[in-house]
Amino acid sequence: MPNAAEILVDTLVAWNVEVVFGLPGDGINGVMEALRTRRDKIAFVQVRHEESAAFMACAYAKWTGKLGVCLATSGPGGTHLLTGLYDAKLDQAPVLAITGMQFHDLIETFTQQDVDLTRVFNDVAVYNAHVADAAHMENVASLACRTALARKGVAHLSIASDVQEQQDAASKRSKRNRPAHTPQDMFAGHNMPLDVELDKAAAILNGASRVAILAGRGAIGAAAELEDTARLLQAPVAKALLGKAVLPDDHPYTTGGIGILGTLASQEAMETCDAVLIVGSTFPYIEYYPKPGQARGVQIDCDAQRIGLRFPVEAGLVGDAAETLRALNQRLTQKPSDEFLQRCQTTMTRWREMMRQSEDAEAQPLKPQAVARAFGQRLADDTVLATDSGQNTELAARHVDLRDGQAFGVSGSLASMACGLAYAIAAGIAFPGRPVAAIVGDGGFAMQLGEFSTAVRYKIPLKLLVIKNNMLNQIAWEQMMFLGNPQFGCELQPIDFAKAAEAMGARGFRIERADQIETVLDEAFAAEGPVVIEAVVDAYEPLMPPKMPPDYAKNFRQALPQTPGRERIEENIAREPAKSMMDA
């Protein structure tokens, strides 16, 4: 008879789970043994830190649409998962977290690692269960998988170490717990809006003359339908960061990103539209939406809870993005004029010219924009690109143009540092044979530096660009712009990341001057296996919104006299395009 751990792993196999990310420990040994004896059916990827396991499970779910699974031992092993699990919660990724516990009859007796992880995970999880015995596991394991997928969130199972090894026959099954009465597969149903709701949405959009579209991660997989919508409405498509891959960055209808990391064209589209269609996005920065009373709103989302969350829409369409757009497009009439779209396209052309100015390959100290542009140009057409949180996110958003067939991922609503490397490793596990790339900062990379050895161990074909400025650059600029405070506490002790990569058995490269960009990148991209490319760049390069709000400009001028590196910062903001962005 199978024991509780074997029932759990067999359930994962039945739910088509192919990989579990985790770190062994004595509190989870029963599950590890079940994985060992079933390693021909399900893979175990050993990480160096449980936080990375959770990030990888979240990223795997985002990349594939399948259930991501992570595993950790009792106590601190389980608590280490939390950051990555909150990433999954906030970005609606289906993840199952499995944690161990101390012996079942020592719970709440102050024994070693006596942490009630079900209580700890209560906020992060949509399903959260302490497994009582093997008969209970038969019920809850399948229900946890189903709930994570159905509710697009985190499910958690906490299992005492001795319960993991308890055989089903030893369980005292209650008379109402009949074997195999719980769901063993997923019911893949889709919501669709009612005709009256679709008619109302179409009337709003048909009646407007300047429609702007905001597309997010929920529109991934609906590119053809979204393109038809944009053509019918002659509407520019602004992309939230998680929706960067919805349409290629050179697509004539897109105006690129939105927000502080976005483009001037997207901002002006939102400032001048008279209707906005939001597709699969709850982009959190309300100040970048149309002003109250300026535009009418329509929103498409698979989750009714998300409708009207950021912008007061008049028509909320709850359903799958592709199916809903197809139904909506049948009700839309072709706009006779493309004047609004052309204005946005003209602004986008100007924005691209501004970005080329910032990518000055002759400037010294080395400009990070120039390195990011050259890095992005070398990515293969089927590359999976991840980034971390910080200035490196802005570089990926603005200076790497995604092409059709490429994928993009990042910690979205949580915006956590230390996610980029884990996301990239998960991509390599999810898509064997596809090229994988990541752009990270020296701050975030240092947090999980040892995890690069995981990429080496599993032979991930990873090209990892580290933006090294020995500074938490985004935080420094936020201190100045948001509050008017001088930069403080953001300087970092330098680390030789190229040597660290070599110490872990990989290749390390360094770029320090503009004339090294092309040759070093060519050599790095020709190298087999994972590589680190360390780009030593200007620590005082500004990170600015497409238009500097008046309060930001005032705060910045207040903070600048007391900020270290003031002279260098002044030189940089006097250059284009920073000067135009500051004066906009």
Side-chain angles (χ1 to χ4, degrees), residues 468-503:
K468 181 180 176 180
N469 50 24
N470 303 319
M471 176 78 74
L472 298 172
N473 191 279
Q474 179 170 338
I475 297 171
W477 279 82
E478 288 173 348
Q479 287 176 345
M480 291 186 284
M481 292 191 302
F482 292 178
L483 297 175
N485 297 331
Q487 178 273 114
F488 176 74
C490 296
E491 300 92 343
L492 299 173
Q493 176 67 20
I495 296 173
D496 191 326
F497 294 107
K499 284 186 178 179
E502 292 170 358

mmCIF file of all heavy atoms in Angstrom, residues 468-503:
data_model
loop_
_atom_site.group_PDB
_atom_site.id
_atom_site.type_symbol
_atom_site.label_atom_id
_atom_site.label_comp_id
_atom_site.label_asym_id
_atom_site.label_seq_id
_atom_site.Cartn_x
_atom_site.Cartn_y
_atom_site.Cartn_z
ATOM 1 N N LYS A 468 26.239 46.250 -13.717
ATOM 2 C CA LYS A 468 27.020 46.485 -12.503
ATOM 3 C C LYS A 468 27.373 47.969 -12.375
ATOM 4 O O LYS A 468 28.204 48.492 -13.096
ATOM 5 C CB LYS A 468 28.303 45.642 -12.529
ATOM 6 C CG LYS A 468 29.169 45.805 -11.284
ATOM 7 C CD LYS A 468 30.409 44.949 -11.362
ATOM 8 C CE LYS A 468 31.326 45.180 -10.158
ATOM 9 N NZ LYS A 468 32.543 44.338 -10.231
ATOM 10 N N ASN A 469 26.703 48.636 -11.451
ATOM 11 C CA ASN A 469 27.031 50.029 -11.162
ATOM 12 C C ASN A 469 27.342 50.231 -9.685
ATOM 13 O O ASN A 469 27.500 51.367 -9.232
ATOM 14 C CB ASN A 469 25.889 50.967 -11.597
ATOM 15 C CG ASN A 469 24.531 50.516 -11.089
ATOM 16 O OD1 ASN A 469 24.444 49.799 -10.085
ATOM 17 N ND2 ASN A 469 23.473 50.936 -11.760
ATOM 18 N N ASN A 470 27.433 49.104 -8.941
ATOM 19 C CA ASN A 470 27.718 49.163 -7.502
ATOM 20 C C ASN A 470 26.757 50.106 -6.781
ATOM 21 O O ASN A 470 27.138 50.827 -5.857
ATOM 22 C CB ASN A 470 29.168 49.581 -7.250
ATOM 23 C CG ASN A 470 30.159 48.651 -7.928
ATOM 24 O OD1 ASN A 470 29.971 47.440 -7.928
ATOM 25 N ND2 ASN A 470 31.198 49.217 -8.529
ATOM 26 N N MET A 471 25.496 50.049 -7.224
ATOM 27 C CA MET A 471 24.505 50.995 -6.715
ATOM 28 C C MET A 471 23.113 50.383 -6.866
ATOM 29 O O MET A 471 22.823 49.720 -7.862
ATOM 30 C CB MET A 471 24.567 52.295 -7.530
ATOM 31 C CG MET A 471 23.543 53.340 -7.172
ATOM 32 S SD MET A 471 23.947 54.256 -5.680
ATOM 33 C CE MET A 471 25.258 55.304 -6.314
ATOM 34 N N LEU A 472 22.261 50.595 -5.864
ATOM 35 C CA LEU A 472 20.839 50.316 -6.023
ATOM 36 C C LEU A 472 20.235 51.535 -6.702
ATOM 37 O O LEU A 472 19.637 52.416 -6.079
ATOM 38 C CB LEU A 472 20.196 50.050 -4.660
ATOM 39 C CG LEU A 472 20.736 48.825 -3.909
ATOM 40 C CD1 LEU A 472 20.167 48.762 -2.499
ATOM 41 C CD2 LEU A 472 20.431 47.543 -4.668
ATOM 42 N N ASN A 473 20.414 51.580 -8.021
ATOM 43 C CA ASN A 473 20.185 52.816 -8.769
ATOM 44 C C ASN A 473 18.727 53.250 -8.742
ATOM 45 O O ASN A 473 18.434 54.440 -8.554
ATOM 46 C CB ASN A 473 20.676 52.646 -10.208
ATOM 47 C CG ASN A 473 20.713 53.953 -10.974
ATOM 48 O OD1 ASN A 473 19.690 54.412 -11.479
ATOM 49 N ND2 ASN A 473 21.881 54.563 -11.060
ATOM 50 N N GLN A 474 17.803 52.321 -8.954
ATOM 51 C CA GLN A 474 16.393 52.716 -8.966
ATOM 52 C C GLN A 474 15.981 53.281 -7.609
ATOM 53 O O GLN A 474 15.254 54.278 -7.532
ATOM 54 C CB GLN A 474 15.503 51.539 -9.345
ATOM 55 C CG GLN A 474 14.027 51.918 -9.342
ATOM 56 C CD GLN A 474 13.134 50.851 -9.943
ATOM 57 O OE1 GLN A 474 13.572 50.015 -10.712
ATOM 58 N NE2 GLN A 474 11.860 50.884 -9.594
ATOM 59 N N ILE A 475 16.440 52.654 -6.540
ATOM 60 C CA ILE A 475 16.084 53.138 -5.207
ATOM 61 C C ILE A 475 16.668 54.526 -4.970
ATOM 62 O O ILE A 475 16.016 55.402 -4.387
ATOM 63 C CB ILE A 475 16.565 52.141 -4.139
ATOM 64 C CG1 ILE A 475 15.842 50.803 -4.321
ATOM 65 C CG2 ILE A 475 16.319 52.687 -2.739
ATOM 66 C CD1 ILE A 475 16.380 49.691 -3.472
ATOM 67 N N ALA A 476 17.888 54.748 -5.439
ATOM 68 C CA ALA A 476 18.515 56.063 -5.279
ATOM 69 C C ALA A 476 17.674 57.145 -5.951
ATOM 70 O O ALA A 476 17.436 58.219 -5.375
ATOM 71 C CB ALA A 476 19.930 56.043 -5.855
ATOM 72 N N TRP A 477 17.197 56.863 -7.162
ATOM 73 C CA TRP A 477 16.389 57.856 -7.872
ATOM 74 C C TRP A 477 15.007 58.009 -7.244
ATOM 75 O O TRP A 477 14.441 59.101 -7.240
ATOM 76 C CB TRP A 477 16.300 57.494 -9.356
ATOM 77 C CG TRP A 477 17.536 57.941 -10.071
ATOM 78 C CD1 TRP A 477 18.731 57.282 -10.135
ATOM 79 C CD2 TRP A 477 17.725 59.192 -10.724
ATOM 80 N NE1 TRP A 477 19.650 58.053 -10.809
ATOM 81 C CE2 TRP A 477 19.063 59.228 -11.186
ATOM 82 C CE3 TRP A 477 16.907 60.279 -10.977
ATOM 83 C CZ2 TRP A 477 19.585 60.305 -11.883
ATOM 84 C CZ3 TRP A 477 17.422 61.363 -11.685
ATOM 85 C CH2 TRP A 477 18.750 61.371 -12.127
ATOM 86 N N GLU A 478 14.469 56.930 -6.708
ATOM 87 C CA GLU A 478 13.192 57.051 -6.012
ATOM 88 C C GLU A 478 13.326 57.899 -4.757
ATOM 89 O O GLU A 478 12.419 58.689 -4.432
ATOM 90 C CB GLU A 478 12.670 55.656 -5.661
ATOM 91 C CG GLU A 478 12.166 54.881 -6.865
ATOM 92 C CD GLU A 478 11.810 53.446 -6.532
ATOM 93 O OE1 GLU A 478 12.160 52.977 -5.428
ATOM 94 O OE2 GLU A 478 11.175 52.784 -7.378
ATOM 95 N N GLN A 479 14.422 57.758 -4.047
ATOM 96 C CA GLN A 479 14.639 58.597 -2.866
ATOM 97 C C GLN A 479 14.620 60.075 -3.242
ATOM 98 O O GLN A 479 14.039 60.902 -2.533
ATOM 99 C CB GLN A 479 15.979 58.243 -2.212
ATOM 100 C CG GLN A 479 15.987 56.918 -1.489
ATOM 101 C CD GLN A 479 17.349 56.562 -0.931
ATOM 102 O OE1 GLN A 479 18.373 57.151 -1.308
ATOM 103 N NE2 GLN A 479 17.391 55.589 -0.031
ATOM 104 N N MET A 480 15.236 60.390 -4.373
ATOM 105 C CA MET A 480 15.298 61.793 -4.796
ATOM 106 C C MET A 480 13.969 62.279 -5.364
ATOM 107 O O MET A 480 13.479 63.351 -4.987
ATOM 108 C CB MET A 480 16.414 61.965 -5.835
ATOM 109 C CG MET A 480 17.813 61.800 -5.259
ATOM 110 S SD MET A 480 19.130 62.181 -6.452
ATOM 111 C CE MET A 480 19.110 60.721 -7.481
ATOM 112 N N MET A 481 13.345 61.488 -6.261
ATOM 113 C CA MET A 481 12.161 61.969 -6.966
ATOM 114 C C MET A 481 10.892 61.871 -6.125
ATOM 115 O O MET A 481 10.036 62.749 -6.175
ATOM 116 C CB MET A 481 11.970 61.183 -8.265
ATOM 117 C CG MET A 481 13.030 61.446 -9.321
ATOM 118 S SD MET A 481 12.599 60.752 -10.946
ATOM 119 C CE MET A 481 12.381 59.008 -10.560
ATOM 120 N N PHE A 482 10.762 60.801 -5.355
ATOM 121 C CA PHE A 482 9.514 60.588 -4.632
ATOM 122 C C PHE A 482 9.408 61.461 -3.387
ATOM 123 O O PHE A 482 8.335 61.949 -3.047
ATOM 124 C CB PHE A 482 9.370 59.124 -4.220
ATOM 125 C CG PHE A 482 9.166 58.173 -5.365
ATOM 126 C CD1 PHE A 482 9.065 56.808 -5.133
ATOM 127 C CD2 PHE A 482 9.067 58.615 -6.682
ATOM 128 C CE1 PHE A 482 8.874 55.925 -6.180
ATOM 129 C CE2 PHE A 482 8.878 57.735 -7.732
ATOM 130 C CZ PHE A 482 8.788 56.386 -7.476
ATOM 131 N N LEU A 483 10.534 61.647 -2.683
ATOM 132 C CA LEU A 483 10.488 62.319 -1.387
ATOM 133 C C LEU A 483 11.363 63.558 -1.290
ATOM 134 O O LEU A 483 11.287 64.286 -0.297
ATOM 135 C CB LEU A 483 10.893 61.327 -0.281
ATOM 136 C CG LEU A 483 9.967 60.123 -0.095
ATOM 137 C CD1 LEU A 483 10.549 59.158 0.933
ATOM 138 C CD2 LEU A 483 8.590 60.580 0.351
ATOM 139 N N GLY A 484 12.214 63.780 -2.275
ATOM 140 C CA GLY A 484 13.110 64.928 -2.196
ATOM 141 C C GLY A 484 14.260 64.723 -1.239
ATOM 142 O O GLY A 484 14.850 65.694 -0.750
ATOM 143 N N ASN A 485 14.597 63.456 -0.973
ATOM 144 C CA ASN A 485 15.712 63.148 -0.072
ATOM 145 C C ASN A 485 16.961 62.815 -0.875
ATOM 146 O O ASN A 485 16.866 62.194 -1.934
ATOM 147 C CB ASN A 485 15.376 61.951 0.818
ATOM 148 C CG ASN A 485 14.200 62.231 1.729
ATOM 149 O OD1 ASN A 485 13.961 63.376 2.113
ATOM 150 N ND2 ASN A 485 13.458 61.196 2.081
ATOM 151 N N PRO A 486 18.138 63.188 -0.373
ATOM 152 C CA PRO A 486 19.366 62.787 -1.068
ATOM 153 C C PRO A 486 19.532 61.272 -1.002
ATOM 154 O O PRO A 486 19.058 60.616 -0.070
ATOM 155 C CB PRO A 486 20.470 63.508 -0.299
ATOM 156 C CG PRO A 486 19.889 63.807 1.041
ATOM 157 C CD PRO A 486 18.424 63.994 0.830
ATOM 158 N N GLN A 487 20.198 60.727 -2.012
ATOM 159 C CA GLN A 487 20.474 59.289 -2.024
ATOM 160 C C GLN A 487 21.247 58.887 -0.787
ATOM 161 O O GLN A 487 22.200 59.543 -0.393
ATOM 162 C CB GLN A 487 21.265 58.946 -3.288
ATOM 163 C CG GLN A 487 21.658 57.486 -3.421
ATOM 164 C CD GLN A 487 22.968 57.133 -2.746
ATOM 165 O OE1 GLN A 487 22.979 56.381 -1.784
ATOM 166 N NE2 GLN A 487 24.069 57.692 -3.216
ATOM 167 N N PHE A 488 20.814 57.807 -0.147
ATOM 168 C CA PHE A 488 21.494 57.333 1.061
ATOM 169 C C PHE A 488 21.338 55.819 1.179
ATOM 170 O O PHE A 488 20.245 55.284 1.009
ATOM 171 C CB PHE A 488 20.909 57.987 2.312
ATOM 172 C CG PHE A 488 21.516 57.471 3.596
ATOM 173 C CD1 PHE A 488 22.809 57.848 3.967
ATOM 174 C CD2 PHE A 488 20.819 56.594 4.404
ATOM 175 C CE1 PHE A 488 23.372 57.359 5.140
ATOM 176 C CE2 PHE A 488 21.376 56.103 5.577
ATOM 177 C CZ PHE A 488 22.664 56.487 5.947
ATOM 178 N N GLY A 489 22.440 55.145 1.482
ATOM 179 C CA GLY A 489 22.401 53.717 1.753
ATOM 180 C C GLY A 489 22.290 52.841 0.529
ATOM 181 O O GLY A 489 21.994 51.651 0.653
ATOM 182 N N CYS A 490 22.529 53.383 -0.650
ATOM 183 C CA CYS A 490 22.328 52.622 -1.886
ATOM 184 C C CYS A 490 23.632 52.111 -2.506
ATOM 185 O O CYS A 490 23.591 51.344 -3.473
ATOM 186 C CB CYS A 490 21.592 53.473 -2.919
ATOM 187 S SG CYS A 490 19.917 53.932 -2.411
ATOM 188 N N GLU A 491 24.788 52.546 -1.992
ATOM 189 C CA GLU A 491 26.050 52.079 -2.560
ATOM 190 C C GLU A 491 26.290 50.619 -2.179
ATOM 191 O O GLU A 491 25.977 50.189 -1.067
ATOM 192 C CB GLU A 491 27.217 52.933 -2.067
ATOM 193 C CG GLU A 491 27.113 54.406 -2.416
ATOM 194 C CD GLU A 491 26.431 55.228 -1.332
ATOM 195 O OE1 GLU A 491 25.758 54.613 -0.467
ATOM 196 O OE2 GLU A 491 26.563 56.455 -1.354
ATOM 197 N N LEU A 492 26.845 49.851 -3.114
ATOM 198 C CA LEU A 492 27.090 48.430 -2.902
ATOM 199 C C LEU A 492 28.586 48.122 -2.909
ATOM 200 O O LEU A 492 29.337 48.728 -3.678
ATOM 201 C CB LEU A 492 26.416 47.602 -4.010
ATOM 202 C CG LEU A 492 24.895 47.725 -4.128
ATOM 203 C CD1 LEU A 492 24.411 46.983 -5.366
ATOM 204 C CD2 LEU A 492 24.210 47.193 -2.886
ATOM 205 N N GLN A 493 28.974 47.190 -2.073
ATOM 206 C CA GLN A 493 30.343 46.689 -2.119
ATOM 207 C C GLN A 493 30.524 45.903 -3.421
ATOM 208 O O GLN A 493 29.745 45.002 -3.726
ATOM 209 C CB GLN A 493 30.616 45.782 -0.920
ATOM 210 C CG GLN A 493 31.975 45.126 -0.905
ATOM 211 C CD GLN A 493 33.109 46.131 -0.714
ATOM 212 O OE1 GLN A 493 32.880 47.237 -0.225
ATOM 213 N NE2 GLN A 493 34.307 45.745 -1.112
ATOM 214 N N PRO A 494 31.545 46.231 -4.222
ATOM 215 C CA PRO A 494 31.696 45.559 -5.520
ATOM 216 C C PRO A 494 31.950 44.059 -5.382
ATOM 217 O O PRO A 494 32.610 43.593 -4.451
ATOM 218 C CB PRO A 494 32.911 46.259 -6.140
ATOM 219 C CG PRO A 494 33.009 47.573 -5.428
ATOM 220 C CD PRO A 494 32.525 47.327 -4.040
ATOM 221 N N ILE A 495 31.404 43.307 -6.314
ATOM 222 C CA ILE A 495 31.634 41.867 -6.448
ATOM 223 C C ILE A 495 32.094 41.604 -7.871
ATOM 224 O O ILE A 495 31.542 42.172 -8.824
ATOM 225 C CB ILE A 495 30.348 41.070 -6.156
ATOM 226 C CG1 ILE A 495 29.907 41.248 -4.706
ATOM 227 C CG2 ILE A 495 30.531 39.580 -6.466
ATOM 228 C CD1 ILE A 495 28.554 40.613 -4.395
ATOM 229 N N ASP A 496 33.098 40.756 -8.032
ATOM 230 C CA ASP A 496 33.554 40.361 -9.365
ATOM 231 C C ASP A 496 32.674 39.205 -9.826
ATOM 232 O O ASP A 496 32.945 38.041 -9.535
ATOM 233 C CB ASP A 496 35.033 39.953 -9.326
ATOM 234 C CG ASP A 496 35.616 39.794 -10.719
ATOM 235 O OD1 ASP A 496 34.876 39.356 -11.618
ATOM 236 O OD2 ASP A 496 36.819 40.097 -10.899
ATOM 237 N N PHE A 497 31.615 39.514 -10.553
ATOM 238 C CA PHE A 497 30.659 38.490 -10.957
ATOM 239 C C PHE A 497 31.218 37.569 -12.030
ATOM 240 O O PHE A 497 30.832 36.393 -12.104
ATOM 241 C CB PHE A 497 29.364 39.148 -11.432
ATOM 242 C CG PHE A 497 28.625 39.880 -10.347
ATOM 243 C CD1 PHE A 497 28.599 41.265 -10.308
ATOM 244 C CD2 PHE A 497 27.959 39.187 -9.357
ATOM 245 C CE1 PHE A 497 27.922 41.947 -9.315
ATOM 246 C CE2 PHE A 497 27.275 39.845 -8.342
ATOM 247 C CZ PHE A 497 27.260 41.233 -8.325
ATOM 248 N N ALA A 498 32.099 38.077 -12.863
ATOM 249 C CA ALA A 498 32.706 37.227 -13.885
ATOM 250 C C ALA A 498 33.547 36.132 -13.236
ATOM 251 O O ALA A 498 33.478 34.955 -13.618
ATOM 252 C CB ALA A 498 33.550 38.072 -14.836
ATOM 253 N N LYS A 499 34.327 36.499 -12.227
ATOM 254 C CA LYS A 499 35.121 35.495 -11.515
ATOM 255 C C LYS A 499 34.233 34.546 -10.728
ATOM 256 O O LYS A 499 34.528 33.350 -10.625
ATOM 257 C CB LYS A 499 36.120 36.184 -10.583
ATOM 258 C CG LYS A 499 37.319 36.776 -11.298
ATOM 259 C CD LYS A 499 38.336 37.317 -10.293
ATOM 260 C CE LYS A 499 39.572 37.864 -11.016
ATOM 261 N NZ LYS A 499 40.562 38.414 -10.053
ATOM 262 N N ALA A 500 33.149 35.056 -10.175
ATOM 263 C CA ALA A 500 32.227 34.194 -9.448
ATOM 264 C C ALA A 500 31.639 33.136 -10.380
ATOM 265 O O ALA A 500 31.492 31.967 -9.997
ATOM 266 C CB ALA A 500 31.113 35.018 -8.817
ATOM 267 N N ALA A 501 31.300 33.531 -11.601
ATOM 268 C CA ALA A 501 30.777 32.574 -12.573
ATOM 269 C C ALA A 501 31.812 31.498 -12.877
ATOM 270 O O ALA A 501 31.488 30.298 -12.938
ATOM 271 C CB ALA A 501 30.361 33.296 -13.852
ATOM 272 N N GLU A 502 33.044 31.919 -13.046
ATOM 273 C CA GLU A 502 34.107 30.956 -13.328
ATOM 274 C C GLU A 502 34.322 30.017 -12.148
ATOM 275 O O GLU A 502 34.569 28.810 -12.325
ATOM 276 C CB GLU A 502 35.397 31.710 -13.667
ATOM 277 C CG GLU A 502 35.312 32.469 -14.993
ATOM 278 C CD GLU A 502 36.489 33.407 -15.215
ATOM 279 O OE1 GLU A 502 37.350 33.493 -14.311
ATOM 280 O OE2 GLU A 502 36.537 34.048 -16.276
ATOM 281 N N ALA A 503 34.198 30.537 -10.929
ATOM 282 C CA ALA A 503 34.360 29.704 -9.742
ATOM 283 C C ALA A 503 33.269 28.645 -9.651
ATOM 284 O O ALA A 503 33.460 27.603 -9.005
ATOM 285 C CB ALA A 503 34.350 30.573 -8.487
#
